[in-house]
Amino acid sequence: MRFLFSPLFFLISILSSFCFFHVVPVHSQCLEDQKILLLQMKDNFVFNPSMSTKLVAWNPSTDCCLWHGVSCNKIGQVIGLDISLEEISDGLQNSTGLFGLRYLQRLNLAWNRFDSIQIPGEFHHLTSLTYLNLSNAGFVGQIPIEVSRMTRLVTLDLSTLFPGFESLKLENPNLKTLVQNLKELRELYLDSVNISAPGRFFPDKIFQVPTLQNLDLSNNELLKGNLPQFPQRGSFRRITLSYTNFSGPMPDSIGNLGMLSRIDLSNCNFSGHLPSTITNLTEIGYLDFSSNNLTGLVPLFSMSKKLTYIDLSRNDLSGSLSSMHFEGLNDLVYMNLGYNSLNGSIPPALFALPSLQILQLSNNQFGGEVNESSSTSSSQLHTLDLSSNLLEGPIPEFFFELRKLNVLVLSSNFFNGTVQMENFQNLQNLTRLELACNRLSINASSSSTSSPFPQLTRLSLASCKLQRFPDLRNQSKMSFLDLSDNQIKGEIPYWIWEVGNGSLSHLNLSYNLLQHLQKPYKIPSLTILDIHSNQLQGDLPIPPPSAIFIDYSGNNFNNSIPADIGNILSVASFFSLSNNSLTGAIPESLCNATSYLQLLDLSNNSLSGTIPNCLLSSQNLGVLNLGRNNLSGAIPNTFSSSCGLRTLDLRRNNLSGQIPGSLVNCKLLEVVTVGNNYIEDIFPCMLKNSSSLRVLVLRSNRFNGDIRCHPAANNSWQNLQIIDIAFNNFSGYLYPKCFLSWRGMMLDNDAQLEHNHLKFKYLNLNNFYYQDTVTVTIKGLELELVKILTVFTSIDFSCNNFEGEIPETVGDLSSLYILNLSHNALTGPIPKSIGNLTQLGSLDLSKNQLTGVIPQELTSLTFLSFLNLSYNRLFGMIPLGSQFQTFEAASYEGNLGLCGFPLDVSCNKIPPTSFEDRLYNSKTKINWDYVSAALGYTVGFGITVWVLWFAL
Ligand SMILES: *[C@@H]1O[C@H](CO)[C@@H](O)[C@H](O)[C@H]1NC(C)=O
Ligand SMILES: *[C@@H]1O[C@H](CO)[C@@H](O)[C@H](O)[C@H]1NC(C)=O
Ligand SMILES: *[C@@H]1O[C@H](CO)[C@@H](O)[C@H](O)[C@H]1NC(C)=O
Ligand SMILES: *[C@@H]1O[C@H](CO)[C@@H](O)[C@H](O)[C@H]1NC(C)=O
Ligand SMILES: *[C@@H]1O[C@H](CO)[C@@H](O)[C@H](O)[C@H]1NC(C)=O
């Protein structure tokens, strides 16, 4: 009887019972206990039967060795289990079924959906495991110490492609214990595993593990520092360290890895020379060093004929390419050298590589003509991007014969000549054609009715001297169309709105000569609609509700803005109607659009009425430009408590009343211009809260009183660079303290180093930003600064009633470019400290009552191109030196007793006693008219501004 219960009997009986029902196939049959364990495991698992292809089909009445995902050895023990991609979400912990399968050598649980659980320690019961794949299965948290006890592991995959908030951690055990214990390990995949204790262990030892062949430690920003040397005769086949913070040079010892077939060191911080020893990698097939900061020359890739993939893009490689670089690369499929500093011409041999499908050379300095190539008839090329280089001459004919091309991008080069659209007709599979910004004349005149590019989704022909619309009537897949900056006249055809059969989302027709929209038209669900800078007239086209960006500016649209426009702009972020001829009121409905609206520009129209209260209560609006209209009434006191305005431009309207107190809520303000209105108020001290303020223009209003604020804030306005309060009734003293905090006008300000323009960037998209403008008055000339350099500085306090002395502290504003204090009642001497304003280009102190001599220190103002000290009470000799003698006499006239060149008064001849008389005379002669500058100075100024703009 004992015999009956022995395992052997058990085995025999099972075998015989199975033999009864089955024809025994080559493999052995599953042992009953193994089957029971498998079924237990399956019962435990919570999985989605509709997504399962393996578990769901396990039939208890069949041989478990035949079950999908199960493999057995000769005697029916389960040694392999692949239950990946089964959407298992629970039932792994305490799974006596799974952890009882003690013969298991290979286990794959990848791509399941365990809900952020830890890896159970029980895995180490599976002592025979050599292969364990738990990747992308939803495990998080510390990797249990038990994993480091599975000493027979050859392959361990714990990587995650899309890590959630929490990821797997390798702290204790750490990487060191792991690799020290797992002595058989050949493949270790830890993509996105948080490998901490950075710097201490890693990675000195890991490259030395003699068995290790494949290593993936990518996506770990904690990994940093220099890479250690690779061992002599390293056994590595594959190394992936992308998206880590490794930095410093790539070790030359990389050349030791003679067996390497794949290396990915992309998106790290490597710098220095690309090691020349990579030419030792004679087995390499896949090489990705992209997005680092490597310098040096492109290596001769001919070292390995196995190369299929080369990506060195986004580095700082230099030098040129020759055909030797690619000799014999018959298997090369992908090559990306974009975003480097490569120059020279493009070797024709590249186009003859027989397997090459993707060639990316954009954003380099390749130049010269692209030579014709004849051996391209069998070319496999489907992506060719040569954009943003210096290539010239005609587009080579053979491009039109690369029949497999899907993507052809040649924008931003100097290609020239006339190209017929039909030339591209052979490229039937083009999905993307971009020729913008060359010196090409694209001729789209023929009216071919067939659809030339049935697959085209993206067409950019900006700046291609197009005279008319290309016929795109049958383009059913188009989503992006850019025909901007051409010479297309007349009507926008109705069919343009039907291009793409509703798939069009980006349409740019700006900078053409278009006059009308052919009717009837229906604008489809565009996201971006840009028709600015044309000559379009009539009513505003109603934008589609899907539009995020709408630019109608710079046209002749007239009549009023449709009253319900704001109800349509439900997702709009950018809406500009500036520089048109619109009349009527600002529709209140625009307030309904403000949930997403970041920029609203209605400037330079003839809009009248008042500013809707609700418009200012928007929280998202960053730019509100209502300047240059006929708006009247007061500015509503409705700025939201979470006001996010950066630019508020209300200049040149008929606004009256006061600056509303709620403006204090707008703490991010950078530009405030309310000039040329009828605002009657005291100095808007609430703006002192906007420490980001850069531009304040109150010019030509009825402001009055002192410009002092209580309590005096010390650090306020440290970014201020332009303040214009001219033509008001301000009075009182210029307090020394007032200039002290304006660090934006001092040279030590860090911002001085950034040569940025003041602009509002929104949506965080590359090309979408709003350029602030400001009008600066210099020498009576109004100058519209479209690109306000963050280094441009100006103070204009002219035409007020300021009295007292000019404080010496003005000399601290060491980067000041324009200082105008003219037409006030300032007294006392010209501060010597003005001589410290070494950047000063324009100084106007005329029509005051300044006394004393012109300080010799002023001669150190070497950039000064405009000076007006006329009509004061200055006396003595005009200082010699610098350019003081180059200004005209008018700069000095009307003073008590100035003498010397350029005045016609010799310094020997003035008797000091006559000063009093002259004082009397000069007072009666003061002419408060605003004096225009002489033309001669303008040239001088223009040059200096040019220097400021371009040299800085
Ligand atoms: C697994 O077993 C442990 C103790 O061995 C217990 O604490 C835990 O609750 C069990 N988990 C499940 C899911 O049954
Ligand atoms: C790599 O190449 C250099 C010469 O280019 C040679 O000196 C070195 O021994 C090579 N290293 C290996 C491991 O082959
Ligand atoms: C790249 O390296 C150059 C010089 O080695 C350095 O000036 C530059 O800042 C680096 N750029 C980045 C993004 O690290
Ligand atoms: C095109 O450019 C090439 C080289 O830059 C020049 O020699 C040629 O004259 C140009 N052709 C035309 C039509 O402008
Ligand atoms: C164009 O694309 C189609 C579908 O992908 C393919 O069958 C065809 O061979 C391609 N034509 C050329 C010339 O490559």
Side-chain angles (χ1 to χ4, degrees):
M1 289 303 281
R2 283 175 68 196
F3 173 69
L4 283 182
F5 293 103
S6 78
L8 184 60
F9 171 79
F10 190 57
L11 180 71
I12 294 168
S13 62
I14 294 169
L15 283 176
S16 52
S17 64
F18 269 86
C19 292
F20 241 57
F21 303 109
H22 295 279
V23 179
V24 186
V26 190
H27 77 92
S28 58
Q29 284 205 328
C30 172
L31 298 177
E32 188 62 22
D33 73 315
Q34 299 281 289
K35 183 190 244 180
I36 290 168
L37 290 168
L38 286 172
L39 290 174
Q40 254 178 23
M41 177 190 79
K42 179 184 166 182
D43 281 351
N44 255 24
F45 278 157
V46 179
F47 63 97
N48 180 350
S50 65
M51 301 299 289
S52 163
T53 57
K54 299 165 196 157
L55 289 175
V56 77
W58 288 5
N59 181 348
S61 62
T62 59
D63 177 3
C64 75
C65 290
L66 293 174
W67 289 351
H68 203 26
V70 178
S71 44
C72 302
N73 60 10
K74 279 183 191 146
I75 51 170
Q77 297 165 333
V78 174
I79 55 166
L81 187 56
D82 178 353
I83 39 176
S84 57
L85 278 163
E86 288 287 285
E87 298 233 348
I88 307 168
S89 56
D90 205 358
L92 182 65
Q93 286 122 317
N94 306 349
S95 169
T96 46
L98 175 60
F99 299 117
L101 292 167
R102 60 181 62 204
Y103 309 111
L104 212 52
Q105 293 170 17
R106 299 177 62 84
L107 174 61
N108 188 350
L109 275 171
W111 296 103
N112 280 298
R113 291 179 173 256
F114 294 109
D115 185 17
S116 301
I117 58 166
Q118 270 194 289
I119 295 174
E122 285 103 319
F123 275 113
H124 89 285
H125 295 308
L126 306 176
T127 49
S128 304
L129 268 193
T130 58
Y131 173 99
L132 178 59
N133 188 347
L134 302 180
S135 66
N136 299 294
F139 294 111
V140 299
Q142 174 59 43
I143 292 166
I145 191 82
E146 285 85 354
V147 171
S148 64
R149 301 203 185 115
M150 303 166 72
T151 51
R152 299 172 80 172
L153 277 181
V154 172
T155 300
L156 177 59
D157 190 345
L158 301 175
S159 56
T160 309
L161 213 54
F162 307 105
F165 295 113
E166 210 189 334
S167 52
L168 279 169
K169 284 196 199 68
L170 196 54
E171 268 166 14
N172 180 28
N174 59 22
L175 189 58
K176 183 178 185 174
T177 21
L178 200 66
V179 296
Q180 277 177 350
N181 292 357
L182 307 184
K183 292 221 172 354
E184 313 275 320
L185 209 55
R186 273 204 298 252
E187 302 181 26
L188 179 59
Y189 304 105
L190 297 175
D191 182 345
S192 301
V193 175
N194 230 332
I195 303 167
S196 62
R200 264 191 275 152
F201 170 64
F202 191 90
D204 298 44
K205 296 290 183 314
I206 194 146
F207 291 158
Q208 309 293 338
V209 178
T211 52
L212 211 51
Q213 294 183 352
N214 296 355
L215 176 66
D216 182 349
L217 301 177
S218 56
N219 280 306
N220 195 326
E221 58 188 27
L222 295 177
L223 292 178
K224 56 187 175 201
N226 287 2
L227 271 194
Q229 296 297 326
F230 290 97
Q232 289 291 333
R233 317 192 58 75
S235 57
F236 281 101
R237 307 291 202 278
R238 293 166 164 250
I239 294 181
T240 307
L241 302 176
S242 55
Y243 293 96
T244 57
N245 279 325
F246 288 121
S247 57
M250 281 186 188
D252 282 337
S253 54
I254 210 165
N256 292 338
L257 307 176
M259 321 257 259
L260 206 60
S261 67
R262 182 187 161 110
I263 185 163
D264 182 354
L265 303 183
S266 65
N267 293 283
C268 302
N269 294 322
F270 291 111
S271 57
H273 269 68
L274 179 76
S276 56
T277 53
I278 72 162
T279 51
N280 281 13
L281 306 182
T282 52
E283 297 294 312
I284 197 80
Y286 183 108
L287 179 73
D288 188 352
F289 290 169
S290 63
S291 298
N292 280 291
N293 196 6
L294 299 169
T295 56
L297 304 176
V298 174
L300 294 181
F301 296 115
S302 36
M303 77 260 185
S304 167
K305 307 284 180 278
K306 296 184 175 168
L307 274 167
T308 59
Y309 187 104
I310 298 172
D311 192 347
L312 297 179
S313 64
R314 294 177 197 272
N315 278 291
D316 197 16
L317 301 173
S318 51
S320 57
L321 298 181
S322 77
S323 55
M324 280 176 33
H325 281 93
F326 321 101
E327 215 161 83
L329 298 188
N330 289 342
D331 294 331
L332 192 65
V333 172
Y334 179 100
M335 165 125 104
N336 190 347
L337 301 177
Y339 294 89
N340 278 291
S341 305
L342 304 174
N343 56 25
S345 58
I346 295 180
L350 263 178
F351 298 103
L353 292 173
S355 305
L356 196 61
Q357 293 181 9
I358 297 181
L359 178 58
Q360 241 292 5
L361 299 178
S362 73
N363 293 81
N364 278 289
Q365 281 124 43
F366 289 114
E369 300 197 9
V370 181
N371 290 327
E372 286 297 345
S373 169
S374 49
S375 48
T376 52
S377 49
S378 60
S379 170
Q380 301 296 311
L381 215 53
H382 74 65
T383 295
L384 176 59
D385 185 352
L386 305 180
S387 60
S388 297
N389 278 292
L390 310 170
L391 300 168
E392 56 190 39
I395 296 180
E397 294 288 333
F398 78 92
F399 282 11
F400 305 124
E401 297 302 325
L402 297 169
R403 286 165 192 260
K404 293 234 158 98
L405 273 187
N406 285 292
V407 176
L408 178 59
V409 183
L410 304 178
S411 305
S412 299
N413 278 290
F414 299 109
F415 286 116
N416 66 4
T418 304
V419 177
Q420 309 293 332
M421 272 310 260
E422 292 99 330
N423 289 3
F424 295 97
Q425 215 147 25
N426 284 335
L427 311 181
Q428 283 287 308
N429 279 3
L430 272 187
T431 59
R432 190 171 155 195
L433 176 62
E434 301 188 21
L435 305 175
C437 303
N438 279 288
R439 291 171 177 166
L440 295 168
S441 302
I442 304 276
N443 197 340
S445 63
S446 94
S447 51
S448 77
T449 44
S450 69
S451 155
F453 319 104
Q455 306 297 327
L456 205 60
T457 60
R458 209 179 149 95
L459 178 64
S460 173
L461 299 178
S463 310
C464 284
K465 304 197 186 78
L466 280 174
Q467 308 268 354
R468 52 163 78 191
F469 283 96
D471 188 354
L472 304 170
R473 257 176 266 221
N474 294 321
Q475 299 302 323
S476 59
K477 298 192 173 169
M478 187 96 74
S479 70
F480 177 105
L481 178 58
D482 185 354
L483 300 177
S484 63
D485 193 25
N486 281 294
Q487 298 150 12
I488 309 177
K489 290 196 211 37
E491 281 187 330
I492 301 180
Y494 72 91
W495 56 257
I496 202 91
W497 310 109
E498 288 159 18
V499 166
N501 276 345
S503 60
L504 195 66
S505 74
H506 181 132
L507 179 66
N508 188 347
L509 301 177
S510 64
Y511 293 110
N512 275 290
L513 307 167
L514 297 163
Q515 288 168 318
H516 300 280
L517 284 86
Q518 186 182 17
K519 288 175 184 166
Y521 62 85
K522 183 170 178 299
I523 302 184
S525 318
L526 297 169
T527 308
I528 290 173
L529 173 58
D530 190 350
I531 51 175
H532 84 273
S533 296
N534 276 288
Q535 297 160 9
L536 295 165
Q537 332 170 352
D539 291 345
L540 279 182
I542 304 293
S546 54
I548 291 177
F549 178 101
I550 303 141
D551 195 346
Y552 288 167
S553 64
N555 280 293
N556 297 324
F557 288 120
N558 47 21
N559 301 334
S560 52
I561 306 173
D564 62 344
I565 187 104
N567 302 332
I568 295 159
L569 303 173
S570 48
V571 294
S573 160
F574 181 110
F575 187 47
S576 176
L577 302 178
S578 76
N579 297 307
N580 277 290
S581 308
L582 298 165
T583 55
I586 299 176
E588 295 250 349
S589 73
L590 276 172
C591 305
N592 303 340
T594 53
S595 45
Y596 293 103
L597 209 56
Q598 292 187 41
L599 181 141
L600 179 63
D601 189 348
L602 306 178
S603 65
N604 211 5
N605 280 288
S606 302
L607 299 170
S608 53
T610 57
I611 301 174
N613 288 352
C614 54
L615 206 52
L616 303 185
S617 40
S618 156
Q619 301 173 10
N620 284 317
L621 219 49
V623 175
L624 179 62
N625 191 344
L626 306 177
R628 297 167 201 263
N629 278 293
N630 301 324
L631 300 169
S632 54
I635 305 170
N637 190 10
T638 52
F639 289 99
S640 142
S641 58
S642 48
C643 168
L645 269 188
R646 290 168 190 268
T647 295
L648 177 64
D649 191 339
L650 302 175
R651 80 181 97 157
R652 292 194 185 272
N653 278 290
N654 302 323
L655 298 168
S656 52
Q658 299 181 336
I659 300 286
S662 56
L663 193 58
V664 74
N665 296 331
C666 305
K667 298 192 171 60
L668 304 175
L669 277 172
E670 292 178 6
V671 178
V672 177
T673 65
V674 296
N676 299 84
N677 281 291
Y678 302 105
I679 297 170
E680 191 159 355
D681 201 351
I682 56 169
F683 190 75
C685 283
M686 83 282 278
L687 286 171
K688 287 270 179 184
N689 279 337
S690 309
S691 58
S692 48
L693 196 70
R694 290 180 172 276
V695 176
L696 176 62
V697 180
L698 305 179
R699 185 183 188 82
S700 287
N701 277 288
R702 294 171 180 162
F703 285 96
N704 52 56
D706 209 319
I707 61 167
R708 230 178 0 167
C709 295
H710 300 281
N714 275 334
N715 289 321
S716 58
W717 286 0
Q718 40 197 324
N719 293 307
L720 193 69
Q721 53 180 105
I722 295 174
I723 178 166
D724 180 351
I725 59 173
F727 289 93
N728 279 292
N729 296 323
F730 285 118
S731 57
Y733 297 100
L734 301 177
Y735 292 94
K737 264 191 176 169
C738 122
F739 298 120
L740 280 177
S741 60
W742 296 355
R743 307 201 65 82
M745 301 196 185
M746 299 182 191
L747 271 180
D748 59 345
N749 185 7
D750 286 346
Q752 303 289 337
L753 300 173
E754 298 165 19
H755 308 140
N756 287 328
H757 298 131
L758 208 49
K759 62 194 177 189
F760 176 69
K761 198 173 163 195
Y762 64 97
L763 287 179
N764 278 333
L765 294 175
N766 278 349
N767 296 321
F768 294 117
Y769 57 81
Y770 177 81
Q771 200 86 65
D772 282 299
T773 66
V774 70
T775 309
V776 189
T777 307
I778 309 157
K779 299 162 282 182
L781 292 177
E782 282 199 355
L783 195 76
E784 173 100 350
L785 298 185
V786 178
K787 293 189 169 180
I788 311 170
L789 273 180
T790 50
V791 293
F792 185 86
T793 53
S794 157
I795 294 178
D796 192 344
F797 284 6
S798 64
C799 301
N800 279 290
N801 301 316
F802 289 113
E803 58 189 317
E805 297 194 6
I806 303 174
E808 282 279 342
T809 52
V810 76
D812 291 350
L813 306 178
S814 48
S815 67
L816 194 60
Y817 186 69
I818 296 171
L819 179 61
N820 189 348
L821 302 177
S822 69
H823 296 84
N824 277 294
L826 297 168
T827 53
I830 297 176
K832 292 188 171 69
S833 66
I834 288 187
N836 300 337
L837 305 180
T838 50
Q839 310 292 308
L840 206 61
S842 170
L843 175 63
D844 192 346
L845 303 176
S846 65
K847 307 249 167 112
N848 277 293
Q849 290 151 40
L850 300 171
T851 53
V853 298
I854 302 176
Q856 184 67 33
E857 285 80 358
L858 264 54
T859 59
S860 51
L861 301 178
T862 47
F863 288 127
L864 209 58
S865 65
F866 177 82
L867 176 72
N868 194 350
L869 302 178
S870 65
Y871 298 100
N872 276 292
R873 300 182 192 173
L874 302 169
F875 52 80
M877 192 168 85
I878 295 172
L880 291 172
S882 184
Q883 62 265 66
F884 265 69
Q885 275 66 43
T886 66
F887 301 112
E888 291 187 18
S891 297
Y892 304 102
E893 70 187 17
N895 275 293
L896 274 185
L898 284 177
C899 61
F901 192 78
L903 288 179
D904 207 7
V905 186
S906 154
C907 283
N908 314 331
K909 291 188 180 161
I910 304 181
T913 46
S914 68
F915 287 161
E916 289 303 310
D917 297 344
R918 281 170 175 262
L919 171 59
Y920 176 78
N921 287 336
S922 68
K923 253 186 174 171
T924 56
K925 266 194 276 175
I926 286 179
N927 169 8
W928 289 100
D929 284 348
Y930 198 61
V931 186
S932 283
L935 213 58
Y937 299 135
T938 320
V939 176
F941 175 70
I943 289 166
T944 325
V945 170
W946 190 87
V947 169
L948 264 175
W949 247 287
F950 297 98
L952 279 174

